[in-house]
Amino acid sequence: MNANSCPPTPASCLLSPDSFLLNPSLLAADFAYLERDIRFLELAGAKILHLDIMDGHFVPNLSFGVPVVEAVRRTTELPLDVHLMLQNPEPYLPIFRKAGADFLSVHIETTPDPRPMLDTIRKLGAVPGLVSNPPTPVESVLPFVNDCDLILTMSVMPGFGGQSFNPIALEKIRRIREIADADKFISVDGGVGEETIASAAAAGANLFVVGTALLGHSDILARFQLLQQRAKRRLE
Ligand code: DX5
Ligand code: ZN
């Protein structure tokens, strides 16, 4: 990622894909105490937050929308990674960018050619990401890997937190890692926890979305450290 790719979002440019970053998913936070949970995550060392936007069409669930992204933006200076699970994401790109998104990811299943949306995201000053669901062949995303800065492989069918990790994601991550430039964020989302994070890291992931395995526990700080250590263990 060079300085020109996201000039209005210096915080996200400071992130380095060389290291293993946990990406806490606020879907698993306590919404009655969202600011408290964000403070715990900051204290634990989070460098980025993941926000799941669901439309009830692309996925069979609704989560939260623009006002919550705006509220989180007011609460923290951490970069916000907004995962759009929307059947028609294109009109919402400037809206979520204005609400405070630093990273914006769209699903390959919503368009035969994601390049125009990835270009729009870049022009808006955000970091463009491309997501694929477990049944979607990796060949669908490979042609676009170097048109975006973040490639997210789902290890569950999107729509709900707390599901089990599907290892089908691992081979997809390996194939993406093989052709992706070194400065890409190779991300994984769904069922990532102490039992699965090391295999995702070994496959080549460097950005780990973690919901239940982190925020589903009372001691967020200890869980954060444990998960980070497990991710790094692939180096031993
Ligand atoms: C699922 C979302 C995930 C979710 C992950 O549709 O994209 O980001 O929050 O939650 P866990 O880590 O509980 O599987
Ligand atoms: Zn997500």
Side-chain angles (χ1 to χ4, degrees):
M1 203 183 308
N2 61 46
N4 294 328
S5 60
C6 49
T9 312
S12 63
C13 294
L14 295 175
L15 294 177
S16 164
D18 302 338
S19 52
F20 294 97
L21 291 173
L22 297 187
N23 191 357
S25 171
L26 295 186
L27 193 63
D30 184 338
F31 287 100
Y33 299 96
L34 193 50
E35 181 173 11
R36 179 203 64 186
D37 282 0
I38 290 170
R39 293 286 166 263
F40 280 141
L41 293 168
E42 287 175 338
L43 275 173
K47 299 281 186 283
I48 184 169
L49 298 175
H50 183 84
L51 287 82
D52 290 299
I53 313 297
M54 303 179 185
D55 68 352
H57 293 279
F58 181 69
V59 291
N61 197 12
L62 295 163
S63 56
F64 51 81
V66 173
V68 173
V69 177
E70 286 171 345
V72 173
R73 177 73 296 156
R74 288 196 302 276
T75 305
T76 182
E77 293 188 359
L78 289 177
L80 304 184
D81 169 33
V82 174
H83 175 189
L84 296 175
M85 284 161 273
L86 309 179
Q87 190 61 51
N88 182 23
E90 199 275 332
Y92 297 96
L93 299 174
I95 297 169
F96 279 104
R97 172 62 180 148
K98 190 160 176 249
D102 300 292
F103 291 63
L104 278 166
S105 295
V106 295
H107 273 259
I108 186 71
E109 294 84 8
T110 65
T111 172
D113 181 4
R115 281 195 191 99
M117 279 198 283
L118 297 170
D119 284 351
T120 299
I121 294 168
R122 212 180 281 284
K123 283 183 187 135
L124 289 167
V127 177
L130 187 60
V131 195
S132 68
N133 284 340
T136 301
V138 70
E139 287 75 14
S140 308
V141 292
L142 292 179
F144 310 109
V145 159
N146 289 308
D147 293 313
C148 47
D149 291 333
L150 182 153
I151 307 96
L152 172 57
T153 303
M154 294 304 301
S155 34
V156 298
M157 277 307 281
F160 302 90
Q163 303 181 73
S164 297
F165 184 90
N166 184 339
I168 201 170
L170 298 174
E171 182 56 21
K172 292 174 72 177
I173 292 168
R174 270 184 218 108
R175 296 277 307 280
I176 291 164
R177 179 72 281 171
E178 272 170 19
I179 66 153
D181 293 341
D183 63 353
K184 302 298 180 192
F185 290 99
I186 310 291
S187 189
V188 59
D189 183 1
V192 177
E194 56 185 293
E195 307 297 334
T196 53
I197 195 166
S199 57
N206 54 25
L207 183 64
F208 308 89
V209 178
V210 277
T212 311
L214 180 59
L215 287 149
H217 294 259
S218 53
D219 194 344
I220 293 174
L221 275 69
R223 293 292 303 179
F224 193 96
Q225 279 178 2
L226 173 75
L227 290 166
Q228 210 162 39
Q229 280 162 8
R230 290 277 162 96
K232 287 180 181 159
R233 192 172 283 177
R234 70 129 206 185
L235 299 176
E236 293 168 8

